[in-house]
Amino acid sequence: MAERETKAPLTEALQILKGTNADDSRVKARGRRAHARVLAMINFAEETARLSREQRISNLLMLARMDHEDSAWALEEARNMLHEEKP
């Protein structure tokens, strides 16, 4: 399991598919393709979460630049998000 944490899901998916032909209908080949699809979806979800987090920080910083009653709160929230450990 430790090896999985060091590899990106997309890299692992490509490694799984390396020895599998697209037209191979054996159960093992179908299982490998399904496993690779799951890993690709995990990669997509992680990228989406990262982009969502970056967009939220960006929106908070834009709000902080405005002369508005929520500016101080937005700046503090953006700072907290930047300093917290990334998922």
Side-chain angles (χ1 to χ4, degrees):
M1 203 62 164
E3 181 182 329
R4 180 179 169 89
E5 293 173 317
T6 60
K7 279 187 178 179
L10 201 52
T11 304
E12 190 174 348
L14 291 171
Q15 193 68 24
I16 289 170
L17 291 175
K18 193 179 239 183
T20 306
N21 292 327
D23 60 351
D24 191 346
S25 63
R26 291 178 298 162
V27 172
K28 187 173 184 175
R30 290 185 356 223
R32 285 177 179 235
R33 287 191 297 270
H35 187 187
R37 278 192 305 272
V38 168
L39 291 172
M41 289 302 297
I42 289 170
N43 184 69
F44 177 74
E46 288 173 350
E47 286 295 313
T48 302
R50 183 185 60 78
L51 292 173
S52 176
R53 180 179 183 278
E54 289 176 4
Q55 184 65 49
R56 175 151 171 78
I57 291 169
S58 175
N59 290 344
L60 287 167
L61 291 173
M62 288 298 294
L63 179 60
R65 289 187 63 195
M66 296 178 177
D67 191 22
H68 194 271
E69 63 187 46
D70 292 330
S71 295
W73 170 83
L75 183 58
E76 185 62 31
E77 185 71 16
R79 284 180 178 155
N80 288 340
M81 287 184 74
L82 287 170
H83 290 298
E84 73 186 20
E85 188 169 292
K86 295 180 182 175

